[in-house]
Every structure is written in structure tokens, then in C-alpha cells.
Amino acid sequence: MNTQRPALILNPVAGPVWRRRKARRLIEHLKMLYPDLTVHVTVRAGDAERLAKELATGSHDLILAAGGDGTYHDVINGMRDSSVPLGILPMGTGNSLVRELGLPTHPLRAASAIRNGVVRPVYLGQIHQRLFILMVGAGFDAEVIRRVGPSQKRLGILAYAVAGIVELFRYGYPMITFRVDGKEFQGTSGIIAKARCYGGPFAIVPQVRLDRPELILCLLKGRGPFTYLKYTLGVIAGLHTRMADVEFHGGTTVEVESPAPLQTDGEAIGIGPARLSIAPKPLNLVYPSAQKTRGGG
């Protein structure tokens, strides 16, 4: 895509430790693609959102975000109501949003794909005045994410796998009440999806699309460690959609009425209740030009 004033927001500590050395090579590659690129490196929590807000209201006509799903979450919130296109570059652990858009998971190849990409509007969700693009989890998965501290995240997906195994036998599986456009449903966990990919390549809600103003609740109704192990294996194999105790309910508003742990875009955000809805203004995202339908409808 044509751009005159591109800017990069880089989280140098995103993802597992073995990926971080690629940051310098990525900057060098981007400067070959965009000679006028300005680089802005995050130092502390909140920097990505602050930088995105400043850059999106300035004279820049493209913002690139290099990090993980948490970095993209902050950048998207900083760009609230902006029409400036956003291109994302994979430096994180699962890179769910990268996979959702059909971008390469190698940072340099993703950068080249964005350089030749196309801009498409996508709808975002919102919860507690925060935007999200992937999902909100209520229940078991949010508790797992809450248990993984900043130092453990350096181990990548292994940290979440270990925490998940521990929580299978520690979590209490309380019932949670949800309302989707006013209709009540109950289960032990729910994933309210805006995008398909979760934890990397796994499609929790295969039918959801970024370009549709809709949220879809994936409701898990069973309880206990072996039932949740069944869910996990089912998601990996793509068979969970056929399970009798897994339901899908779509709408434009979803309410979590119980005091369940919550996560959004892979970051713990506290305890319910909460109300989720569709943000009024779409975000302009850069897709690879050959990507016709995946993630964009």
C-alpha cells in the first residue's frame, strides 16, 4: 500500500525470549521498505496505547505495531475512532490476530505482505470502555491467563500449557450466567469471540468474522478436569463444535452477569459482571493482498 508517513510501534520484550533478537533485523527490513519510517519503542506498560494515540492524531498515514496480541490490544485502544490504517507484525507468542488476517508468522515476511497489502474495515468489540479485536473469555481460560505472570510469559506457550494443566484440577468450575441480546444462557465458561483464532491457530468460533458487527458466545456447559481436557483436545482437533455440551449464540450485546474471572485479547482484566457490545466505528486493518476471505468475511 502507498504511504508517505509510516510509523512503527515496537514492543521489544513481546513474546518468548528466543524471538526478541529479531527486532533489530525487523527494523532494518522495514526501513528498506519504508525509507521515511519513524520508530517508537515501548519502555513500560501503557506506552503502546499512548504512542498509538499520539501517532494516529498526527500526520502519519500508516501505523505498524510489532509485538504480541497484548501489544495490538493497546495500540487498537490508542487508535480509537481513527481512520489511519494499522498493520500488525508478529513478535508475540500465539500471534492469533496475525493468523486471523492470514499474514505470515515470520516478522520480515509479514512486513513485506503488509507493504503490498490492502486496507479493510473491521468491527471491534468493547468491554468496560476498552476495545478488543479477538475475544473476551469468562471463566476457566481467564483464570489460566491470570495465573501466568510477566516473568513466566517469557517461556511462551509452555507457560500457558503448564498453568492450564494445574488449573484443570484446581479450578472450581462455578456456573456463569450470560445474556446474549437479552436471552439467558448458563455454563461454566464462555468465550465471546470477535475473531476466530485463539491461542494461535485454533478456531474456537469458526463462524465469526471480523467484518461483521456481531459477537458470538461459545458456551461450555460441562464441568470438571476431564470434561475440560475433552474441550481442549476437541478445539485442537476442530471437533468441539460437534459436542452436545458446547453451544454457540450470536448477537450484538453479551452480558456476563456472574463474578467470573475475565480476560480480553489474552490479558486478564479482573472479575465480572461485564457488558460487551460492538464499537460504533470500525478499524482499518491491513490484510495481505492475496487474502480474499479469511478473517475478513
Side-chain angles (χ1 to χ4, degrees):
M1 60 174 292
N2 293 324
T3 177
Q4 302 297 319
R5 292 280 321 271
L8 169 67
I9 299 172
L10 170 67
N11 179 357
V13 297
V17 291
W18 54 86
R19 296 198 64 169
R20 296 177 186 177
R21 63 180 181 272
K22 294 183 178 180
R24 182 176 297 178
R25 291 175 55 201
L26 175 61
I27 293 174
E28 293 172 353
H29 183 68
L30 286 170
K31 286 190 172 180
M32 287 191 293
L33 296 175
Y34 306 100
D36 297 322
L37 179 75
T38 61
V39 179
H40 308 265
V41 179
T42 63
V43 176
R44 59 184 64 86
D47 279 358
E49 184 170 346
R50 175 184 58 80
L51 287 167
K53 184 175 182 179
E54 293 173 359
L55 296 170
T57 55
S59 58
H60 295 280
D61 55 3
L62 172 66
I63 293 176
L64 301 168
D69 292 324
T71 302
Y72 311 144
H73 174 85
D74 288 345
V75 168
I76 287 165
N77 275 276
M79 294 179 65
R80 180 188 289 268
D81 297 330
S82 171
S83 59
V84 177
L86 170 65
I88 62 170
L89 300 166
M91 296 288 285
T93 301
N95 294 310
S96 299
L97 183 55
V98 169
R99 298 172 190 273
E100 182 78 19
L101 303 183
L103 285 164
T105 55
H106 189 283
L108 273 60
R109 290 197 288 270
S112 297
I114 288 173
R115 184 68 180 87
N116 299 304
V118 294
V119 178
R120 296 176 183 167
V122 301
Y123 288 92
L124 304 173
Q126 56 185 10
I127 176 174
H128 297 328
Q129 306 304 313
R130 297 285 295 175
L131 301 176
F132 66 92
I133 192 168
L134 291 172
M135 89 303 282
V136 168
F140 178 80
D141 79 314
E143 183 65 15
V144 171
I145 287 172
R146 188 176 73 86
R147 295 288 182 175
V148 178
S151 61
Q152 295 169 301
K153 290 182 180 180
R154 293 180 296 178
L155 299 175
I157 197 69
L158 177 62
Y160 294 95
V162 171
I165 292 170
V166 172
E167 286 305 315
L168 280 174
F169 298 94
R170 184 164 60 183
Y171 189 64
Y173 305 96
M175 293 300 291
I176 304 170
T177 299
F178 299 88
R179 287 189 184 274
V180 181
D181 288 350
K183 297 180 181 179
E184 181 177 307
F185 304 96
Q186 289 190 324
T188 51
S189 287
I191 306 294
I192 303 100
K194 191 67 202 67
R196 287 177 288 180
C197 291
Y198 179 100
F202 306 113
I204 293 284
V205 184
Q207 64 269 42
V208 74
R209 294 293 183 273
L210 282 174
D211 69 343
R212 297 176 186 169
E214 181 183 37
L215 300 167
I216 298 182
L217 167 68
C218 173
L219 183 67
L220 307 181
K221 303 185 73 173
R223 64 178 356 127
F226 297 106
T227 298
Y228 268 68
L229 181 59
K230 176 194 73 171
Y231 292 151
T232 301
L233 296 176
V235 168
I236 293 172
L239 300 176
H240 66 292
T241 58
R242 305 179 190 179
M243 296 177 181
D245 53 356
V246 177
E247 297 179 354
F248 297 89
H249 305 281
T252 56
T253 62
V254 178
E255 295 169 88
V256 183
E257 296 191 339
S258 306
L262 300 172
Q263 64 90 5
T264 180
D265 290 349
E267 300 292 331
I269 59 167
I271 304 294
R275 184 179 188 275
L276 291 68
S277 60
I278 298 295
K281 184 171 182 178
L283 169 75
N284 288 323
L285 265 185
V286 182
Y287 281 75
S289 59
Q291 196 69 19
K292 300 298 185 184
T293 58
R294 182 174 178 179

